[in-house]
Amino acid sequence: MTKVLIVEDEVLIAREMEQFLVQLKYHCDLAYTAAQASRKLESGNYDFLLLDLGLPDKDGLSVLYEAKKDLPDLSCVILSARGQVEDRIRGLDLGADDYLPKPFSLPELHARLQAVMRRKFGLREMLVPLGDFLVDLGNHQVLYDGKAMPLSKKEIDVLSYLLLHKNRPITRMQLSEHIWGNYDGEEYDSNYIDVHIKNIRKKLSARAPTDWLQTVRNIGYKICV
């Protein structure tokens, strides 16, 4: 699941974005101040930062600067009513991936997120071939012959994360931290991850080979394409 931290001091706008993105299968956390954002960034494993610049306690660009120091792979879309070219240039120089001026439409926000994801992972579109299957990252589905496979939400999360990091071994701990949010709680168990992989293989191999989903001994799993 794609994890998003929304940093926006206007509560109604923040919750509207959250509700919209949750319906599209994103996991969202909210922060209304720079201090809240910093605390969440320290403990969360986020894919996207949606960042308003006009925060009550600190300039949003300082949040971006601190975030990119510790999380260089974090993708960021700046959301701001500021129209100055200088702010846009500085935000991009600090590592922001896009700049969306307010007011904006929620479908446009989603399109920008998908565009950033495509660039980040070298995708031409959100439909990614995988053996005889087609992974629809936008709609959170795995398709075979045009029909959705009966995978659970967590199983699709695991498969999508491995696919986005194709050809790289991903540890069980990395999977747990990304999919479940942490690896300290009772949900983290290497066997728990293994069960999900086993179920994915069982369900998909009933339709076509899944030799692209490989076990990396003593480490975890990877998708080879």
Side-chain angles (χ1 to χ4, degrees):
M1 177 184 293
T2 302
K3 298 181 66 177
V4 179
L5 177 61
I6 299 170
V7 184
E8 167 62 67
D9 66 323
E10 295 188 45
V11 176
L12 292 179
I13 293 177
R15 291 180 176 172
E16 185 179 18
M17 285 192 287
E18 178 191 30
Q19 183 178 15
F20 176 77
L21 292 174
V22 166
Q23 290 176 345
L24 295 171
K25 312 300 183 183
Y26 291 82
H27 172 85
C28 297
D29 289 334
L30 300 180
Y32 303 113
T33 65
Q36 289 177 356
S38 296
R39 287 195 295 271
K40 288 182 179 294
L41 286 167
E42 287 177 1
S43 59
N45 185 24
Y46 296 101
D47 300 292
F48 278 100
L49 173 64
L50 301 184
L51 178 63
D52 178 36
L53 297 185
L55 300 174
D57 54 339
K58 190 183 291 187
D59 191 292
L61 290 175
S62 64
V63 175
L64 175 60
Y65 174 75
E66 294 297 328
K68 296 297 285 188
K69 281 199 306 182
D70 299 327
L71 304 165
D73 293 331
L74 177 68
S75 297
C76 176
V77 176
I78 291 175
L79 313 172
S80 179
R82 298 182 187 176
Q84 293 90 338
V85 173
E86 293 80 6
D87 283 331
R88 299 187 186 189
I89 293 174
R90 189 178 171 208
L92 294 172
D93 285 344
L94 289 174
D97 297 273
D98 205 346
Y99 191 108
L100 190 58
K102 294 180 178 178
F104 55 84
S105 72
L106 293 174
E108 182 182 6
L109 172 62
H110 182 223
R112 297 291 185 101
L113 293 180
Q114 289 189 313
V116 171
M117 189 180 297
R118 288 195 299 270
R119 293 196 299 269
K120 181 176 181 179
F121 294 106
L123 305 174
R124 291 187 178 182
E125 55 185 37
M126 299 304 286
L127 290 169
V128 184
L130 185 58
D132 294 303
F133 301 93
L134 193 63
V135 181
D136 186 343
L137 295 170
N139 292 312
H140 212 62
Q141 293 180 323
V142 177
L143 306 173
Y144 178 78
D145 197 23
K147 297 180 180 179
M149 295 296 296
L151 297 181
S152 72
K153 180 175 175 298
K154 292 298 185 187
E155 289 163 0
I156 295 176
D157 287 342
V158 169
L159 191 64
S160 298
Y161 189 69
L162 289 170
L163 178 58
L164 290 174
H165 298 85
K166 58 181 185 281
N167 301 317
R168 289 176 48 195
I170 301 297
T171 68
R172 293 171 176 85
M173 186 176 292
Q174 286 174 308
L175 281 169
S176 179
E177 184 178 15
H178 182 83
I179 306 302
W180 287 275
N182 67 76
Y183 53 84
D184 296 321
E186 60 182 14
E187 282 194 303
Y188 175 66
D189 183 333
S190 63
N191 290 330
Y192 194 64
I193 303 296
D194 294 339
V195 167
H196 279 75
I197 295 292
K198 181 180 178 180
N199 288 339
I200 291 170
R201 284 175 170 152
K202 181 179 180 180
K203 292 176 181 180
L204 297 186
S205 62
R207 293 289 182 269
T210 59
D211 50 355
W212 38 261
L213 178 52
Q214 299 182 2
T215 301
V216 183
R217 188 175 180 181
N218 298 325
I219 296 178
Y221 299 94
K222 70 176 179 178
I223 284 178
C224 292
V225 294

